[in-house]
Amino acid sequence: MSTTHITLNQINTLPRAEAAALLTGLYEHSDWIAEQALDARPFASAAALKHAMVEVLNRAGRDAQVALVRAHPELAGKAMVTKSLTAESTNEQSKAGLTDCTPQEFAHIQQLNASYNAKFGFPFILAVRGPRGAGLTRQQIIQTFERRLDNHPDYELAECLRNIHRIVEIRLNDKLGYQPTLGHEVWDWHEWLAQFSDADDALTVTYLTDAHQKCARTIELGLQACGFDDVRIDAVGNVVGIYKAATENAKTLMTGSHYDTVRNGGKYDGRLGIFVPMACVRELARANQRLPFNLEVVAFAEEEGQRYKATFLGSGALVGDFKHEWLDQADADGVTMRQAMQQAGLKLADIPKLARDASKYLGFVEVHIEQGPVLNERDLPLGVVTSINGSVRFVGEVRGMASHAGTTPMDRRRDAAAAVAELALYVEQRALRDRGADGQCNAVGTVGLLTVPNGSINVVPGRCQFSLDLRAPTNGQRDLLMRDVLNALQTICTRRGVHYTLEETMRASAAPSSPQWQARWEAAVQALGVPLFHLPSGAGHDAMKLHEVMPQAMLFVRGQNAGISHNPLESTTSDDMQLAIDAFMHLLHNTHA
């Protein structure tokens, strides 16, 4: 039996009541959301309709939002047992295998439901069809349920709403007969590459390990299969693919990201920026289309600095910033980088030849998962990056006087740890005051390490070692933040009668996006009917290195699970991947050599 699908044109042109009737069942017992969203017609895309519904619910207020959550059935709850679920919920819970729970699984979910309702006062909501739409496993559902029980009530309500919007996205896709086909494939490519890891129980891929080299070979084969004309692994392990222009002697647009990971990391950090342009080239090759410029995709071998202290090794080599002394760095097993590179068959003598002639390049663009909560909290799939934050890092130590915790009066202590704790609070408060024109906090400061050497429960700390990490979208903003923090450190130590030492360990300049390339990303996002949103990048990226020699701009893709990254929970959806692919293809077709 064939299914009749609705069209976006019908939604845009039919009388309001008829268009609303086509959208029934998207929100559980809450058709008013889709109906009110019709006020924003016409919609340029399904993505625009999805966001219009998000905006309706945002404006509706907390009471309406809680009522919507409460309109949903419990997972594997009484409604499933009595078969009183809506048709949509029955389909979703069945696809996730919740109708086939073992007695033990069913009992555990019932207990989780009870605990969750007792804490939050509404049912647990999860888009059980998952980030690819094919369904989560029962184990994944239970693990997510257990994890989210620890959330703050306000955050958990927002997480329920985000999951509801994901459920609606999938239901709308079903109504439209739409599948993010390329998004599904790219999602699968991430799974495919994630099989290679240094560890058996986590995704860890560090420079030139066996898993790292298998990743490189797999990407090389993938580039060849996608139709790239020239594919190679270079002298530092970067995997390079070139899709040649329609004419000889054309300039080149470079793109890409890294394929190494942090230890126990996520599947999408870096790799999304490799696979999105690969998918675009495959479609161009299948259609026998050539661009007016060469497209060079580089899977950078190293960005994270996990096995060796060198970071941005892969992209650094392309801008002539591979430091010879890195070769003598040794890993935890005493293997030097030189030895690792020789064992991998890399030709060290060719490293200087990797530096690119910037005059032959149009620029560098990079797609990357956001690695933060901003897009996720705003229910936006894409964000245009305005700048990669400049940063400065320090390690330091405060020295006071260790003394007896019982006999030293509070007003006569020289507590080194208390001084650092006061500094940490100042850093937090000072960074919070540093807001951009949009009112968002765009500077950040972190005391990530705080150690009391030889500390004891009954001793006032005489020493405290600490770190400082300060970041902001511009160098000037970063330097003002740094000045105020260092002045505060001096003031705190003087007042407390303690002394400090401080060493600057790293300073990276901000990398503002090229106005021309940023505008191309903006046009691509708007062409998809997705609201245009700008944000800085707090994390460093390969684009920072390429920025040293050529114009660059980045596009961020929303992450799930509060945008967490450098973590196994890092996730994004095939729908958002599809939008990133579509945006990249738009950029390619609207760029001229």
PDB file of all heavy atoms in Angstrom, residues 108-121:
ATOM      1  N   HIS A 108      13.049  -2.340  35.315  1.00  0.00           N
ATOM      2  CA  HIS A 108      14.013  -1.263  35.536  1.00  0.00           C
ATOM      3  C   HIS A 108      13.489   0.060  34.972  1.00  0.00           C
ATOM      4  O   HIS A 108      13.598   1.110  35.621  1.00  0.00           O
ATOM      5  CB  HIS A 108      15.353  -1.626  34.901  1.00  0.00           C
ATOM      6  CG  HIS A 108      16.452  -0.642  35.191  1.00  0.00           C
ATOM      7  ND1 HIS A 108      16.627  -0.038  36.420  1.00  0.00           N
ATOM      8  CD2 HIS A 108      17.445  -0.145  34.398  1.00  0.00           C
ATOM      9  CE1 HIS A 108      17.665   0.780  36.379  1.00  0.00           C
ATOM     10  NE2 HIS A 108      18.176   0.734  35.153  1.00  0.00           N
ATOM     11  N   ILE A 109      12.905   0.022  33.781  1.00  0.00           N
ATOM     12  CA  ILE A 109      12.354   1.244  33.190  1.00  0.00           C
ATOM     13  C   ILE A 109      11.197   1.776  34.032  1.00  0.00           C
ATOM     14  O   ILE A 109      11.055   3.000  34.206  1.00  0.00           O
ATOM     15  CB  ILE A 109      11.907   0.981  31.734  1.00  0.00           C
ATOM     16  CG1 ILE A 109      13.127   0.719  30.852  1.00  0.00           C
ATOM     17  CG2 ILE A 109      11.125   2.171  31.175  1.00  0.00           C
ATOM     18  CD1 ILE A 109      12.795   0.309  29.426  1.00  0.00           C
ATOM     19  N   GLN A 110      10.377   0.874  34.579  1.00  0.00           N
ATOM     20  CA  GLN A 110       9.277   1.320  35.440  1.00  0.00           C
ATOM     21  C   GLN A 110       9.809   2.040  36.678  1.00  0.00           C
ATOM     22  O   GLN A 110       9.263   3.067  37.119  1.00  0.00           O
ATOM     23  CB  GLN A 110       8.413   0.126  35.858  1.00  0.00           C
ATOM     24  CG  GLN A 110       7.655  -0.534  34.704  1.00  0.00           C
ATOM     25  CD  GLN A 110       6.833   0.467  33.917  1.00  0.00           C
ATOM     26  OE1 GLN A 110       5.934   1.114  34.455  1.00  0.00           O
ATOM     27  NE2 GLN A 110       7.151   0.614  32.647  1.00  0.00           N
ATOM     28  N   GLN A 111      10.910   1.520  37.238  1.00  0.00           N
ATOM     29  CA  GLN A 111      11.506   2.166  38.405  1.00  0.00           C
ATOM     30  C   GLN A 111      12.094   3.524  38.025  1.00  0.00           C
ATOM     31  O   GLN A 111      11.962   4.505  38.768  1.00  0.00           O
ATOM     32  CB  GLN A 111      12.601   1.267  38.999  1.00  0.00           C
ATOM     33  CG  GLN A 111      13.276   1.860  40.238  1.00  0.00           C
ATOM     34  CD  GLN A 111      12.281   2.207  41.335  1.00  0.00           C
ATOM     35  OE1 GLN A 111      11.500   1.358  41.759  1.00  0.00           O
ATOM     36  NE2 GLN A 111      12.284   3.456  41.794  1.00  0.00           N
ATOM     37  N   LEU A 112      12.720   3.591  36.870  1.00  0.00           N
ATOM     38  CA  LEU A 112      13.258   4.867  36.397  1.00  0.00           C
ATOM     39  C   LEU A 112      12.132   5.867  36.166  1.00  0.00           C
ATOM     40  O   LEU A 112      12.259   7.055  36.521  1.00  0.00           O
ATOM     41  CB  LEU A 112      14.050   4.655  35.107  1.00  0.00           C
ATOM     42  CG  LEU A 112      15.393   3.923  35.233  1.00  0.00           C
ATOM     43  CD1 LEU A 112      15.944   3.578  33.857  1.00  0.00           C
ATOM     44  CD2 LEU A 112      16.396   4.785  35.996  1.00  0.00           C
ATOM     45  N   ASN A 113      11.040   5.425  35.583  1.00  0.00           N
ATOM     46  CA  ASN A 113       9.889   6.312  35.381  1.00  0.00           C
ATOM     47  C   ASN A 113       9.390   6.883  36.699  1.00  0.00           C
ATOM     48  O   ASN A 113       9.101   8.081  36.815  1.00  0.00           O
ATOM     49  CB  ASN A 113       8.753   5.545  34.692  1.00  0.00           C
ATOM     50  CG  ASN A 113       8.887   5.489  33.181  1.00  0.00           C
ATOM     51  OD1 ASN A 113       9.355   6.442  32.570  1.00  0.00           O
ATOM     52  ND2 ASN A 113       8.493   4.380  32.577  1.00  0.00           N
ATOM     53  N   ALA A 114       9.308   6.023  37.707  1.00  0.00           N
ATOM     54  CA  ALA A 114       8.813   6.465  39.018  1.00  0.00           C
ATOM     55  C   ALA A 114       9.760   7.478  39.641  1.00  0.00           C
ATOM     56  O   ALA A 114       9.343   8.525  40.165  1.00  0.00           O
ATOM     57  CB  ALA A 114       8.629   5.261  39.939  1.00  0.00           C
ATOM     58  N   SER A 115      11.059   7.197  39.581  1.00  0.00           N
ATOM     59  CA  SER A 115      12.045   8.114  40.166  1.00  0.00           C
ATOM     60  C   SER A 115      12.057   9.440  39.433  1.00  0.00           C
ATOM     61  O   SER A 115      12.165  10.512  40.046  1.00  0.00           O
ATOM     62  CB  SER A 115      13.443   7.479  40.113  1.00  0.00           C
ATOM     63  OG  SER A 115      13.482   6.276  40.840  1.00  0.00           O
ATOM     64  N   TYR A 116      11.958   9.376  38.119  1.00  0.00           N
ATOM     65  CA  TYR A 116      11.992  10.590  37.306  1.00  0.00           C
ATOM     66  C   TYR A 116      10.774  11.471  37.581  1.00  0.00           C
ATOM     67  O   TYR A 116      10.893  12.685  37.795  1.00  0.00           O
ATOM     68  CB  TYR A 116      12.051  10.189  35.830  1.00  0.00           C
ATOM     69  CG  TYR A 116      12.264  11.336  34.871  1.00  0.00           C
ATOM     70  CD1 TYR A 116      13.530  11.670  34.419  1.00  0.00           C
ATOM     71  CD2 TYR A 116      11.177  12.082  34.394  1.00  0.00           C
ATOM     72  CE1 TYR A 116      13.728  12.712  33.525  1.00  0.00           C
ATOM     73  CE2 TYR A 116      11.360  13.126  33.498  1.00  0.00           C
ATOM     74  CZ  TYR A 116      12.638  13.426  33.068  1.00  0.00           C
ATOM     75  OH  TYR A 116      12.823  14.471  32.194  1.00  0.00           O
ATOM     76  N   ASN A 117       9.585  10.852  37.603  1.00  0.00           N
ATOM     77  CA  ASN A 117       8.365  11.622  37.879  1.00  0.00           C
ATOM     78  C   ASN A 117       8.379  12.232  39.264  1.00  0.00           C
ATOM     79  O   ASN A 117       7.902  13.350  39.480  1.00  0.00           O
ATOM     80  CB  ASN A 117       7.135  10.737  37.691  1.00  0.00           C
ATOM     81  CG  ASN A 117       6.629  10.732  36.255  1.00  0.00           C
ATOM     82  OD1 ASN A 117       6.057  11.710  35.794  1.00  0.00           O
ATOM     83  ND2 ASN A 117       6.865   9.632  35.549  1.00  0.00           N
ATOM     84  N   ALA A 118       8.930  11.495  40.215  1.00  0.00           N
ATOM     85  CA  ALA A 118       9.004  12.011  41.583  1.00  0.00           C
ATOM     86  C   ALA A 118       9.902  13.238  41.659  1.00  0.00           C
ATOM     87  O   ALA A 118       9.631  14.174  42.423  1.00  0.00           O
ATOM     88  CB  ALA A 118       9.518  10.913  42.519  1.00  0.00           C
ATOM     89  N   LYS A 119      10.976  13.245  40.874  1.00  0.00           N
ATOM     90  CA  LYS A 119      11.912  14.367  40.914  1.00  0.00           C
ATOM     91  C   LYS A 119      11.427  15.556  40.098  1.00  0.00           C
ATOM     92  O   LYS A 119      11.524  16.711  40.535  1.00  0.00           O
ATOM     93  CB  LYS A 119      13.291  13.929  40.418  1.00  0.00           C
ATOM     94  CG  LYS A 119      14.311  15.071  40.394  1.00  0.00           C
ATOM     95  CD  LYS A 119      15.706  14.589  40.025  1.00  0.00           C
ATOM     96  CE  LYS A 119      16.692  15.761  40.036  1.00  0.00           C
ATOM     97  NZ  LYS A 119      18.071  15.333  39.736  1.00  0.00           N
ATOM     98  N   PHE A 120      10.912  15.307  38.877  1.00  0.00           N
ATOM     99  CA  PHE A 120      10.630  16.391  37.948  1.00  0.00           C
ATOM    100  C   PHE A 120       9.151  16.724  37.800  1.00  0.00           C
ATOM    101  O   PHE A 120       8.811  17.833  37.393  1.00  0.00           O
ATOM    102  CB  PHE A 120      11.209  16.053  36.574  1.00  0.00           C
ATOM    103  CG  PHE A 120      12.708  15.872  36.569  1.00  0.00           C
ATOM    104  CD1 PHE A 120      13.267  14.627  36.307  1.00  0.00           C
ATOM    105  CD2 PHE A 120      13.547  16.930  36.836  1.00  0.00           C
ATOM    106  CE1 PHE A 120      14.646  14.450  36.302  1.00  0.00           C
ATOM    107  CE2 PHE A 120      14.926  16.772  36.836  1.00  0.00           C
ATOM    108  CZ  PHE A 120      15.471  15.528  36.568  1.00  0.00           C
ATOM    109  N   GLY A 121       8.270  15.780  38.043  1.00  0.00           N
ATOM    110  CA  GLY A 121       6.840  16.051  37.916  1.00  0.00           C
ATOM    111  C   GLY A 121       6.318  15.969  36.499  1.00  0.00           C
ATOM    112  O   GLY A 121       5.215  16.444  36.205  1.00  0.00           O
TER     113      GLY A 121
END
